[in-house]
Amino acid sequence: FGLRVAHQGLVLTPPTDVELLELVPLVGEPGGIVAPGDEGRFLGRDPDLAPEDAVDAFLRHQWRLRERPTPARWRAPFAVVTGGRVIGIVVLAHETDHEPGRVSTWSWLARAEQGRGLGRHVRLMVLELAFAHLGATLATTSANEHNAASRRVSARCGYRETHRGSDPWGVEVHAAVTPAAWRRRRLPDVEVDGVDAFRAAIAGAGR
């Protein structure tokens, strides 16, 4: 659909196979995304998974995200690009069990790029698309209770904890942000392109 979000040199664009392959070394390298041993609780991935199996699972998952969007379920994956380099992935989605208007996000950045404010920047850019262009009324996310960096990004973007649950990796902290809370932190002059066709698809136009 040609969706593209840009702000101050940071670009979010649907990942091509070439861009996905640029991320393969990060996915396959221990410590490429999170500290070695944290793959389970922070990425939901078996920490003992062989590098080639981790890469295979990553590529297959990304290819599945390319499904045609419908009003009931849609996923919008983006490569995070800065200075011509692909440094991560972010996904905006509406799932079949979501109430109308609700979206969710998940993302990761190369470990070497973390700690510079890029996570917050990327999240606010995605929320610009969700709230200002796709009509979302609530955005949710979750992170392991020990993932302080991810939870800090969410808090700085206006998210508030809603509840906690458990998964095989421990306690998962769920949080949500409203359009009103996001507006107080909104980035100025975010460029969003190619949204019309995507918006028509998730609205069911022409069905």
Side-chain angles (χ1 to χ4, degrees):
F1 287 89
L3 281 173
R4 181 180 182 274
V5 186
H7 185 259
Q8 295 182 353
L10 199 59
V11 178
L12 309 181
T13 184
T16 64
D17 284 350
V18 171
E19 288 166 332
L20 292 177
L21 290 175
E22 287 185 45
L23 292 171
V24 160
L26 295 175
V27 175
E29 175 190 356
I33 304 172
V34 297
D38 278 339
E39 293 87 354
R41 59 183 184 172
F42 289 179
L43 297 176
R45 189 179 85 197
D46 184 350
D48 297 322
L49 201 63
E52 59 271 22
D53 292 332
V55 166
D56 182 69
F58 164 72
L59 291 174
R60 289 179 181 276
H61 176 66
Q62 287 298 315
W63 290 331
R64 285 197 298 271
L65 292 176
R66 292 174 175 174
E67 65 186 21
R68 184 169 182 82
T70 69
R73 185 176 81 170
W74 52 264
R75 284 86 175 265
F78 296 96
V80 181
V81 183
T82 182
R85 298 178 300 115
V86 186
I87 63 169
I89 288 288
V90 60
V91 178
L92 177 68
H94 173 76
E95 303 292 350
T96 53
D97 61 347
H98 285 174
E99 57 271 23
R102 176 184 164 190
V103 297
S104 61
T105 67
W106 65 265
S107 62
W108 58 259
L109 296 177
R111 193 176 176 201
E113 305 293 340
Q114 297 171 18
R116 301 195 291 122
L118 292 176
R120 176 178 180 271
H121 198 162
V122 168
R123 186 84 64 87
L124 288 174
M125 289 170 66
V126 168
L127 292 178
E128 178 78 25
L129 173 62
F131 288 138
H133 297 271
L134 298 181
T137 56
L138 187 74
T140 61
T141 192
S142 65
N144 183 276
E145 65 174 341
H146 297 293
N147 194 342
S150 178
R151 293 177 61 195
R152 188 162 51 247
V153 166
S154 295
R156 292 185 64 204
C157 292
Y159 288 74
R160 294 293 179 265
E161 182 177 333
T162 57
H163 63 285
R164 297 189 175 208
S166 60
D167 61 23
W169 314 108
V171 175
E172 193 79 358
V173 180
H174 298 259
V177 62
T178 63
W182 158 74
R183 285 190 196 97
R184 294 194 290 272
R185 300 159 177 85
R186 187 177 187 178
L187 297 173
D189 304 319
V190 176
E191 300 175 15
V192 179
D193 299 309
V195 73
D196 290 344
F198 186 81
R199 188 165 48 212
I202 64 176
R207 298 186 69 190

mmCIF file of all heavy atoms in Angstrom, residues 73-103:
data_model
loop_
_atom_site.group_PDB
_atom_site.id
_atom_site.type_symbol
_atom_site.label_atom_id
_atom_site.label_comp_id
_atom_site.label_asym_id
_atom_site.label_seq_id
_atom_site.Cartn_x
_atom_site.Cartn_y
_atom_site.Cartn_z
ATOM 1 N N ARG A 73 -9.059 -7.670 10.653
ATOM 2 C CA ARG A 73 -7.669 -7.841 11.088
ATOM 3 C C ARG A 73 -6.725 -7.256 10.052
ATOM 4 O O ARG A 73 -6.845 -7.534 8.862
ATOM 5 C CB ARG A 73 -7.329 -9.323 11.299
ATOM 6 C CG ARG A 73 -5.926 -9.508 11.865
ATOM 7 C CD ARG A 73 -5.617 -10.948 12.175
ATOM 8 N NE ARG A 73 -5.213 -11.708 11.003
ATOM 9 C CZ ARG A 73 -4.710 -12.933 11.068
ATOM 10 N NH1 ARG A 73 -4.594 -13.549 12.226
ATOM 11 N NH2 ARG A 73 -4.354 -13.571 9.956
ATOM 12 N N TRP A 74 -5.804 -6.447 10.534
ATOM 13 C CA TRP A 74 -4.775 -5.934 9.643
ATOM 14 C C TRP A 74 -3.476 -5.724 10.420
ATOM 15 O O TRP A 74 -3.486 -5.484 11.616
ATOM 16 C CB TRP A 74 -5.210 -4.639 8.960
ATOM 17 C CG TRP A 74 -5.713 -3.545 9.873
ATOM 18 C CD1 TRP A 74 -7.011 -3.274 10.191
ATOM 19 C CD2 TRP A 74 -4.926 -2.564 10.556
ATOM 20 N NE1 TRP A 74 -7.089 -2.195 11.035
ATOM 21 C CE2 TRP A 74 -5.827 -1.735 11.277
ATOM 22 C CE3 TRP A 74 -3.564 -2.286 10.634
ATOM 23 C CZ2 TRP A 74 -5.391 -0.666 12.063
ATOM 24 C CZ3 TRP A 74 -3.120 -1.233 11.418
ATOM 25 C CH2 TRP A 74 -4.028 -0.431 12.117
ATOM 26 N N ARG A 75 -2.371 -5.861 9.688
ATOM 27 C CA ARG A 75 -1.048 -5.644 10.255
ATOM 28 C C ARG A 75 -0.266 -4.739 9.317
ATOM 29 O O ARG A 75 -0.305 -4.933 8.100
ATOM 30 C CB ARG A 75 -0.288 -6.963 10.400
ATOM 31 C CG ARG A 75 -0.725 -7.848 11.573
ATOM 32 C CD ARG A 75 -1.882 -8.750 11.240
ATOM 33 N NE ARG A 75 -2.202 -9.651 12.345
ATOM 34 C CZ ARG A 75 -1.730 -10.897 12.435
ATOM 35 N NH1 ARG A 75 -0.926 -11.375 11.497
ATOM 36 N NH2 ARG A 75 -2.070 -11.658 13.458
ATOM 37 N N ALA A 76 0.398 -3.769 9.866
ATOM 38 C CA ALA A 76 1.224 -2.847 9.076
ATOM 39 C C ALA A 76 2.654 -2.895 9.618
ATOM 40 O O ALA A 76 2.988 -2.194 10.569
ATOM 41 C CB ALA A 76 0.667 -1.431 9.147
ATOM 42 N N PRO A 77 3.503 -3.749 9.020
ATOM 43 C CA PRO A 77 4.900 -3.822 9.467
ATOM 44 C C PRO A 77 5.741 -2.742 8.793
ATOM 45 O O PRO A 77 5.502 -2.377 7.642
ATOM 46 C CB PRO A 77 5.326 -5.218 9.002
ATOM 47 C CG PRO A 77 4.495 -5.459 7.773
ATOM 48 C CD PRO A 77 3.180 -4.748 7.999
ATOM 49 N N PHE A 78 6.725 -2.252 9.518
ATOM 50 C CA PHE A 78 7.612 -1.218 8.987
ATOM 51 C C PHE A 78 9.065 -1.548 9.325
ATOM 52 O O PHE A 78 9.357 -2.002 10.440
ATOM 53 C CB PHE A 78 7.299 0.156 9.591
ATOM 54 C CG PHE A 78 5.945 0.682 9.260
ATOM 55 C CD1 PHE A 78 4.891 0.503 10.151
ATOM 56 C CD2 PHE A 78 5.711 1.370 8.073
ATOM 57 C CE1 PHE A 78 3.625 0.994 9.864
ATOM 58 C CE2 PHE A 78 4.450 1.857 7.780
ATOM 59 C CZ PHE A 78 3.410 1.675 8.679
ATOM 60 N N ALA A 79 9.951 -1.291 8.359
ATOM 61 C CA ALA A 79 11.372 -1.252 8.651
ATOM 62 C C ALA A 79 11.693 0.135 9.197
ATOM 63 O O ALA A 79 11.149 1.134 8.722
ATOM 64 C CB ALA A 79 12.183 -1.517 7.386
ATOM 65 N N VAL A 80 12.547 0.188 10.194
ATOM 66 C CA VAL A 80 12.998 1.460 10.755
ATOM 67 C C VAL A 80 14.323 1.804 10.082
ATOM 68 O O VAL A 80 15.301 1.060 10.209
ATOM 69 C CB VAL A 80 13.180 1.361 12.282
ATOM 70 C CG1 VAL A 80 13.634 2.705 12.843
ATOM 71 C CG2 VAL A 80 11.888 0.901 12.946
ATOM 72 N N VAL A 81 14.325 2.918 9.350
ATOM 73 C CA VAL A 81 15.489 3.273 8.535
ATOM 74 C C VAL A 81 16.012 4.638 8.951
ATOM 75 O O VAL A 81 15.253 5.602 9.099
ATOM 76 C CB VAL A 81 15.119 3.305 7.034
ATOM 77 C CG1 VAL A 81 16.345 3.614 6.180
ATOM 78 C CG2 VAL A 81 14.490 1.979 6.597
ATOM 79 N N THR A 82 17.308 4.743 9.139
ATOM 80 C CA THR A 82 17.945 6.023 9.423
ATOM 81 C C THR A 82 19.298 6.060 8.725
ATOM 82 O O THR A 82 20.054 5.081 8.766
ATOM 83 C CB THR A 82 18.127 6.256 10.937
ATOM 84 O OG1 THR A 82 18.721 7.537 11.159
ATOM 85 C CG2 THR A 82 18.987 5.193 11.586
ATOM 86 N N GLY A 83 19.571 7.144 8.036
ATOM 87 C CA GLY A 83 20.841 7.259 7.320
ATOM 88 C C GLY A 83 21.060 6.171 6.298
ATOM 89 O O GLY A 83 22.201 5.776 6.037
ATOM 90 N N GLY A 84 19.974 5.647 5.726
ATOM 91 C CA GLY A 84 20.089 4.570 4.744
ATOM 92 C C GLY A 84 20.301 3.193 5.351
ATOM 93 O O GLY A 84 20.425 2.204 4.614
ATOM 94 N N ARG A 85 20.316 3.102 6.668
ATOM 95 C CA ARG A 85 20.518 1.818 7.346
ATOM 96 C C ARG A 85 19.213 1.343 7.986
ATOM 97 O O ARG A 85 18.482 2.137 8.571
ATOM 98 C CB ARG A 85 21.583 1.951 8.441
ATOM 99 C CG ARG A 85 22.964 2.335 7.946
ATOM 100 C CD ARG A 85 23.942 2.481 9.106
ATOM 101 N NE ARG A 85 23.509 3.524 10.042
ATOM 102 C CZ ARG A 85 23.140 3.293 11.300
ATOM 103 N NH1 ARG A 85 23.139 2.051 11.785
ATOM 104 N NH2 ARG A 85 22.781 4.289 12.088
ATOM 105 N N VAL A 86 18.962 0.045 7.884
ATOM 106 C CA VAL A 86 17.797 -0.556 8.537
ATOM 107 C C VAL A 86 18.226 -0.987 9.930
ATOM 108 O O VAL A 86 19.152 -1.795 10.085
ATOM 109 C CB VAL A 86 17.268 -1.765 7.749
ATOM 110 C CG1 VAL A 86 15.977 -2.273 8.365
ATOM 111 C CG2 VAL A 86 17.044 -1.398 6.289
ATOM 112 N N ILE A 87 17.554 -0.450 10.960
ATOM 113 C CA ILE A 87 18.007 -0.688 12.331
ATOM 114 C C ILE A 87 16.962 -1.383 13.199
ATOM 115 O O ILE A 87 17.211 -1.624 14.385
ATOM 116 C CB ILE A 87 18.442 0.625 13.004
ATOM 117 C CG1 ILE A 87 17.261 1.594 13.117
ATOM 118 C CG2 ILE A 87 19.604 1.255 12.255
ATOM 119 C CD1 ILE A 87 17.555 2.794 14.012
ATOM 120 N N GLY A 88 15.806 -1.710 12.626
ATOM 121 C CA GLY A 88 14.798 -2.368 13.450
ATOM 122 C C GLY A 88 13.482 -2.564 12.730
ATOM 123 O O GLY A 88 13.359 -2.306 11.529
ATOM 124 N N ILE A 89 12.510 -3.012 13.495
ATOM 125 C CA ILE A 89 11.174 -3.334 12.990
ATOM 126 C C ILE A 89 10.139 -2.774 13.962
ATOM 127 O O ILE A 89 10.320 -2.835 15.179
ATOM 128 C CB ILE A 89 10.976 -4.863 12.878
ATOM 129 C CG1 ILE A 89 11.784 -5.437 11.708
ATOM 130 C CG2 ILE A 89 9.508 -5.221 12.721
ATOM 131 C CD1 ILE A 89 11.262 -5.108 10.326
ATOM 132 N N VAL A 90 9.054 -2.246 13.416
ATOM 133 C CA VAL A 90 7.904 -1.872 14.236
ATOM 134 C C VAL A 90 6.646 -2.323 13.499
ATOM 135 O O VAL A 90 6.584 -2.268 12.269
ATOM 136 C CB VAL A 90 7.873 -0.353 14.530
ATOM 137 C CG1 VAL A 90 7.797 0.464 13.248
ATOM 138 C CG2 VAL A 90 6.706 0.006 15.449
ATOM 139 N N VAL A 91 5.649 -2.799 14.247
ATOM 140 C CA VAL A 91 4.405 -3.292 13.660
ATOM 141 C C VAL A 91 3.222 -2.604 14.349
ATOM 142 O O VAL A 91 3.162 -2.552 15.582
ATOM 143 C CB VAL A 91 4.267 -4.818 13.806
ATOM 144 C CG1 VAL A 91 2.938 -5.290 13.217
ATOM 145 C CG2 VAL A 91 5.430 -5.528 13.133
ATOM 146 N N LEU A 92 2.321 -2.084 13.543
ATOM 147 C CA LEU A 92 1.049 -1.550 14.019
ATOM 148 C C LEU A 92 -0.030 -2.515 13.565
ATOM 149 O O LEU A 92 -0.050 -2.904 12.391
ATOM 150 C CB LEU A 92 0.811 -0.164 13.429
ATOM 151 C CG LEU A 92 -0.517 0.528 13.773
ATOM 152 C CD1 LEU A 92 -0.559 0.897 15.250
ATOM 153 C CD2 LEU A 92 -0.710 1.770 12.900
ATOM 154 N N ALA A 93 -0.935 -2.915 14.466
ATOM 155 C CA ALA A 93 -1.898 -3.960 14.105
ATOM 156 C C ALA A 93 -3.245 -3.764 14.774
ATOM 157 O O ALA A 93 -3.352 -3.155 15.847
ATOM 158 C CB ALA A 93 -1.337 -5.333 14.486
ATOM 159 N N HIS A 94 -4.267 -4.300 14.112
ATOM 160 C CA HIS A 94 -5.600 -4.448 14.702
ATOM 161 C C HIS A 94 -5.948 -5.916 14.555
ATOM 162 O O HIS A 94 -6.021 -6.443 13.441
ATOM 163 C CB HIS A 94 -6.630 -3.580 13.971
ATOM 164 C CG HIS A 94 -8.036 -3.815 14.417
ATOM 165 N ND1 HIS A 94 -8.535 -3.324 15.605
ATOM 166 C CD2 HIS A 94 -9.050 -4.524 13.855
ATOM 167 C CE1 HIS A 94 -9.794 -3.696 15.735
ATOM 168 N NE2 HIS A 94 -10.130 -4.429 14.698
ATOM 169 N N GLU A 95 -6.158 -6.596 15.682
ATOM 170 C CA GLU A 95 -6.389 -8.031 15.673
ATOM 171 C C GLU A 95 -7.879 -8.343 15.782
ATOM 172 O O GLU A 95 -8.689 -7.501 16.168
ATOM 173 C CB GLU A 95 -5.624 -8.696 16.822
ATOM 174 C CG GLU A 95 -4.120 -8.436 16.803
ATOM 175 C CD GLU A 95 -3.406 -9.096 15.632
ATOM 176 O OE1 GLU A 95 -4.036 -9.924 14.931
ATOM 177 O OE2 GLU A 95 -2.219 -8.788 15.414
ATOM 178 N N THR A 96 -8.226 -9.583 15.471
ATOM 179 C CA THR A 96 -9.637 -9.971 15.457
ATOM 180 C C THR A 96 -10.285 -9.880 16.834
ATOM 181 O O THR A 96 -11.503 -9.711 16.935
ATOM 182 C CB THR A 96 -9.793 -11.412 14.925
ATOM 183 O OG1 THR A 96 -8.928 -12.287 15.673
ATOM 184 C CG2 THR A 96 -9.439 -11.481 13.453
ATOM 185 N N ASP A 97 -9.493 -9.988 17.907
ATOM 186 C CA ASP A 97 -10.074 -9.896 19.248
ATOM 187 C C ASP A 97 -10.035 -8.479 19.812
ATOM 188 O O ASP A 97 -10.384 -8.264 20.974
ATOM 189 C CB ASP A 97 -9.385 -10.862 20.207
ATOM 190 C CG ASP A 97 -7.896 -10.579 20.365
ATOM 191 O OD1 ASP A 97 -7.338 -9.799 19.565
ATOM 192 O OD2 ASP A 97 -7.281 -11.152 21.298
ATOM 193 N N HIS A 98 -9.616 -7.511 19.009
ATOM 194 C CA HIS A 98 -9.612 -6.114 19.443
ATOM 195 C C HIS A 98 -10.998 -5.501 19.263
ATOM 196 O O HIS A 98 -11.673 -5.755 18.259
ATOM 197 C CB HIS A 98 -8.618 -5.293 18.625
ATOM 198 C CG HIS A 98 -7.190 -5.536 18.996
ATOM 199 N ND1 HIS A 98 -6.135 -4.981 18.307
ATOM 200 C CD2 HIS A 98 -6.630 -6.276 19.988
ATOM 201 C CE1 HIS A 98 -5.000 -5.362 18.846
ATOM 202 N NE2 HIS A 98 -5.277 -6.157 19.869
ATOM 203 N N GLU A 99 -11.387 -4.663 20.195
ATOM 204 C CA GLU A 99 -12.613 -3.904 20.019
ATOM 205 C C GLU A 99 -12.388 -2.855 18.932
ATOM 206 O O GLU A 99 -11.255 -2.488 18.629
ATOM 207 C CB GLU A 99 -13.040 -3.234 21.331
ATOM 208 C CG GLU A 99 -12.021 -2.316 21.948
ATOM 209 C CD GLU A 99 -11.051 -2.994 22.893
ATOM 210 O OE1 GLU A 99 -10.859 -4.234 22.781
ATOM 211 O OE2 GLU A 99 -10.473 -2.294 23.743
ATOM 212 N N PRO A 100 -13.443 -2.349 18.289
ATOM 213 C CA PRO A 100 -13.279 -1.349 17.231
ATOM 214 C C PRO A 100 -12.465 -0.143 17.724
ATOM 215 O O PRO A 100 -12.667 0.347 18.831
ATOM 216 C CB PRO A 100 -14.724 -0.940 16.910
ATOM 217 C CG PRO A 100 -15.538 -2.142 17.267
ATOM 218 C CD PRO A 100 -14.872 -2.724 18.478
ATOM 219 N N GLY A 101 -11.542 0.294 16.886
ATOM 220 C CA GLY A 101 -10.734 1.459 17.210
ATOM 221 C C GLY A 101 -9.451 1.162 17.962
ATOM 222 O O GLY A 101 -8.600 2.034 18.119
ATOM 223 N N ARG A 102 -9.290 -0.060 18.412
ATOM 224 C CA ARG A 102 -8.077 -0.403 19.173
ATOM 225 C C ARG A 102 -6.986 -0.922 18.244
ATOM 226 O O ARG A 102 -7.253 -1.712 17.333
ATOM 227 C CB ARG A 102 -8.391 -1.462 20.230
ATOM 228 C CG ARG A 102 -7.153 -1.944 20.996
ATOM 229 C CD ARG A 102 -7.500 -3.059 21.949
ATOM 230 N NE ARG A 102 -6.318 -3.769 22.401
ATOM 231 C CZ ARG A 102 -6.326 -4.907 23.088
ATOM 232 N NH1 ARG A 102 -7.489 -5.465 23.397
ATOM 233 N NH2 ARG A 102 -5.207 -5.495 23.445
ATOM 234 N N VAL A 103 -5.767 -0.486 18.485
ATOM 235 C CA VAL A 103 -4.604 -0.998 17.773
ATOM 236 C C VAL A 103 -3.547 -1.415 18.791
ATOM 237 O O VAL A 103 -3.612 -1.037 19.962
ATOM 238 C CB VAL A 103 -4.009 0.043 16.800
ATOM 239 C CG1 VAL A 103 -5.002 0.409 15.711
ATOM 240 C CG2 VAL A 103 -3.546 1.297 17.552
#
